[in-house]
Amino acid sequence: MPEGLKKLAQPFMALPPAKRWIVGGVVGVSIIAFALLIMVANRTDYRPLFTNLANEDAGEIVTKLKEQKVPYRIAPDGKAILVPSDKVYDLRLSLASEGLPQGGGVGFEIFDRKNFGMTEFVQKLNYQRALQGELSRTIGQIAGVEQARVHLAIPEKALFKEDEKPATASVVLKVKGQRQLRENDVQGIVHLVASSIEGMNPEHVTVLDQKGKLLSRNAPSDAAGKMTASMQEMQRAYERNTEERLQSLLDKAVGSGKSVARVSAVFDFRQVERYEEKYDPETVVRSEQRSEESMGGANATAGVPGVQANLGRTQTGAGGATSPSGSKNDETLNYEVSRSTARTIEPVGTLSKVSVAILVDGKYDPPAAGKDGKAAKPKYAPRSADEIQKIDALVKSAVGFNTGRGDQVTVVNIPFQDTGEAGTDEGGQWWNAPIFLALLKNGLIGFGFLALILFVVRPLMKTLKPAKQTTFEPVPTAEETLNQIAEAHRVQIGNQTIRQMELMNKVKEEPYQAAQILQNWLRTKSE
């Protein structure tokens, strides 16, 4: 073993076995912990490159990553690919230039590959696949839609129009999380698909969600249902606007955050069409026709009709008859029948009832100082009946209160409860920022070095530091001890003799002061 290594190991070997085991264990654990810390700090940080990938897109992306020799990892569900965080954006741009990911289907890029041996059937099939892929990509960009698949059924064109069959489409949506698509969004998807296919009617588009729930309402008899959605939207818009106007008014009256307004409106959406036909009882003469006929008294000669009679050769007999005299009047009046016809269509969506609920907080007296100097809680004081009545009149004027419609306005004064809910900021996630992670890694490494020096190396050096060697003096004998005592006694006597001689010389030099001192001593003793 080298001489230098022996010198280093000598203090350690000089320790008792128990201490050697303790020191060795502490050093081993420290080395292992520090090695793990370095491994964790230097581990490659993988971030998602793409998520919710189809199997075809995942396979093509993995192939491209292998060609570029980029390390990657695949999520357990197989729908996400993770790459080093410093290469995420570069890889996204490079793969996007190659048309990846395709969104689970092919688009019109399928026609970029020229194949002169393609039959007409395959060409039509590719065109249908391209339409399905492009529609799926477009629908997937809508907010709330995670994934979409479109299936088209486009029949062949017939020679006669009555023999043609309509084109149909089916859309399956995968909604993000627990969100629900609104009726307007679903109808937008229906019209998007119908407008993209020539001759397709929106009634022939069916939209489902991932649970198999029918989202579209495409039957012709469902017009009332579509109208109902717009009616509900109209009602909610009226309630929301009225609440905003009331809230702004109350904030000026009682203060911000001291009141809450809620409005419930009922609309009459019946479509009423009335026909009225009225006749005027006072008739008017339209036309008048009168005829008058008079008859005078004369003998009537009767004869045999024939040539003789026509020539005026009649024979008068004795039995001639006489016709009676008289007159005949005929009058015809035509009256005009006057009537009025009215067709009245009442407006749809008339306001039939409004209910308003107002919640008002009370007043709080300024807090007084407590016994320990801390401010006490403010004391609650309800609002007076006069204030509540003024607020009630103010709200009624703002909403156009009408007792004939059965409108209701309720104003309640109760203390508000503190509902301080701390909001969670899910969007920031600053702890996942690369800069913060890098600083955290370097800080952990520095802290590990400092802890190793302070808590391991320093105590270990103190433990291994050699103890000071103690020198033992020889024990003196009895004769030496007596000689030392005698020598010390002689020195003490000599010192006392010197002090006495000095005192005697002092008395000889100043006898008067010495006498005064002696007198003071004697007087003190006598007292």
Side-chain angles (χ1 to χ4, degrees):
M1 182 180 294
E3 194 68 25
L5 187 60
K6 286 183 178 180
K7 290 183 179 180
L8 291 175
Q10 185 176 2
F12 177 75
M13 299 303 296
L15 296 173
K19 286 190 176 182
R20 279 187 288 178
W21 279 105
I22 293 174
V23 172
V26 170
V27 172
V29 171
S30 302
I31 293 174
I32 294 173
F34 196 69
L36 291 175
L37 180 62
I38 294 176
M39 290 175 60
V40 172
N42 294 330
R43 187 180 59 182
T44 304
D45 184 19
Y46 282 85
R47 292 299 182 91
L49 179 62
F50 295 107
T51 57
N52 297 322
L53 291 172
N55 295 331
E56 299 83 0
D57 291 338
E60 293 186 10
I61 292 174
V62 168
T63 303
K64 295 294 182 181
L65 294 178
K66 289 181 179 179
E67 292 177 358
Q68 299 179 12
K69 297 182 180 179
V70 177
Y72 65 91
R73 290 180 181 178
I74 300 177
D77 56 357
K79 295 183 179 180
I81 297 178
L82 294 85
V83 295
S85 57
D86 56 342
K87 298 182 179 180
V88 171
Y89 300 105
D90 294 337
L91 289 174
R92 285 180 182 175
L93 293 176
S94 63
L95 292 175
S97 63
E98 299 180 8
L100 292 175
Q102 297 178 353
V106 294
F108 283 107
E109 68 273 1
I110 193 174
F111 293 105
D112 295 339
R113 308 168 187 172
K114 297 181 179 180
N115 187 359
F116 295 101
M118 184 183 299
T119 61
E120 183 180 0
F121 173 76
V122 176
Q123 190 172 7
K124 290 182 178 179
L125 184 61
N126 287 339
Y127 177 73
Q128 183 173 339
R129 291 177 59 196
L131 283 178
Q132 294 177 168
E134 293 293 339
L135 287 173
S136 299
R137 296 175 186 177
T138 304
I139 296 173
Q141 299 299 322
I142 298 176
V145 178
E146 182 177 344
Q147 190 177 359
R149 287 185 64 86
V150 180
H151 302 277
L152 301 177
I154 304 176
E156 295 287 340
K157 291 185 177 181
L159 182 60
F160 300 99
K161 187 173 182 64
E162 56 270 14
D163 296 336
E164 288 186 356
K165 296 181 180 180
T168 59
S170 300
V171 182
V172 181
L173 303 177
K174 184 178 181 182
V175 185
K176 293 181 180 178
Q178 300 297 328
R179 298 181 59 179
Q180 292 183 355
L181 293 179
R182 296 178 299 177
E183 180 70 19
N184 295 337
D185 297 335
V186 176
Q187 293 301 321
I189 294 173
V190 170
H191 286 281
L192 171 66
V193 176
S195 302
S196 303
I197 309 301
E198 181 182 359
M200 180 175 288
N201 196 316
E203 299 174 357
H204 298 152
V205 180
T206 304
V207 182
L208 304 174
D209 62 0
Q210 70 269 26
K211 298 180 181 178
K213 180 181 178 182
L214 181 64
L215 302 178
S216 61
R217 299 179 178 179
N218 48 14
S221 60
D222 198 47
K226 296 179 182 178
M227 183 63 73
T228 302
S230 61
M231 292 174 182
Q232 292 177 355
E233 186 65 25
M234 173 184 173
Q235 179 177 343
R236 286 193 294 267
Y238 175 81
E239 294 173 351
R240 185 167 53 252
N241 294 335
T242 307
E243 288 176 359
E244 291 177 356
R245 290 191 292 109
L246 286 177
Q247 192 63 55
S248 62
L249 187 65
L250 293 172
D251 288 345
K252 298 293 183 180
V254 299
S256 179
K258 295 291 185 178
S259 62
V260 178
R262 291 293 180 266
V263 178
S264 175
V266 178
F267 284 83
D268 186 5
F269 293 104
R270 293 180 301 173
Q271 297 180 356
V272 180
E273 186 174 354
R274 295 178 180 177
Y275 291 91
E276 294 181 356
E277 187 174 354
K278 296 181 180 180
Y279 293 90
D280 190 0
E282 298 180 0
T283 58
V284 180
V285 178
R286 179 179 182 183
S287 62
E288 182 179 355
Q289 183 179 0
R290 294 180 181 180
S291 62
E292 185 177 350
E293 183 180 355
S294 61
M295 299 176 60
N299 293 330
T301 304
V304 179
V307 178
Q308 298 296 331
N310 293 333
L311 294 177
R313 300 172 180 176
T314 58
Q315 297 178 359
T316 304
T322 303
S323 61
S325 61
S327 63
K328 180 181 179 181
N329 295 326
D330 292 333
E331 183 177 1
T332 303
L333 296 177
N334 295 324
Y335 293 94
E336 182 69 29
V337 179
S338 60
R339 65 175 182 175
S340 61
T341 304
R343 179 187 177 189
T344 305
I345 300 177
E346 296 183 359
V348 179
T350 57
L351 183 62
S352 60
K353 184 179 178 181
V354 177
S355 299
V356 182
I358 304 297
L359 186 64
V360 183
D361 195 9
K363 298 179 180 179
Y364 294 89
D365 296 334
K371 297 181 180 179
D372 54 353
K374 296 182 180 179
K377 293 184 179 180
K379 185 178 180 182
Y380 172 80
R383 297 184 182 271
S384 63
D386 186 32
E387 289 180 333
I388 299 298
Q389 187 176 0
K390 290 181 180 179
I391 294 173
D392 182 80
L394 191 66
V395 172
K396 287 182 178 179
S397 301
V399 299
F401 183 80
N402 188 355
T403 55
R405 293 185 310 206
D407 295 350
Q408 294 180 355
V409 174
T410 304
V411 181
V412 180
N413 177 216
I414 58 175
F416 285 7
Q417 300 294 332
D418 293 333
T419 57
E421 298 179 356
T424 58
D425 185 12
E426 299 179 357
Q429 293 185 353
W430 53 268
W431 55 87
N432 287 331
I435 298 177
F436 177 77
L437 293 178
L439 293 176
L440 181 62
K441 291 179 182 179
N442 296 331
L444 288 176
I445 293 175
F447 179 77
F449 272 116
L450 185 62
L452 183 63
I453 293 173
L454 294 178
F455 299 103
V456 177
V457 176
R458 187 177 178 183
L460 186 62
M461 294 299 293
K462 288 183 177 180
T463 304
L464 298 178
K465 188 176 181 180
K468 294 182 179 180
Q469 295 182 358
T470 56
T471 57
F472 298 95
E473 296 180 357
V475 180
T477 60
E479 184 179 356
E480 292 177 351
T481 303
L482 292 176
N483 292 333
Q484 291 177 358
I485 293 173
E487 183 66 24
H489 185 66
R490 284 196 299 269
V491 171
Q492 184 177 4
I493 292 174
N495 292 333
Q496 290 180 355
T497 303
I498 293 172
R499 290 175 184 173
Q500 290 177 359
M501 294 298 294
E502 290 178 354
L503 183 59
M504 291 175 64
N505 293 332
K506 192 70 175 175
V507 171
K508 290 178 181 180
E509 292 176 359
E510 297 179 357
Y512 179 76
Q513 291 182 356
Q516 291 292 332
I517 291 172
L518 291 174
Q519 289 179 1
N520 291 334
W521 284 355
L522 294 174
R523 189 180 300 114
T524 302
K525 288 183 179 181
S526 62
E527 292 178 358

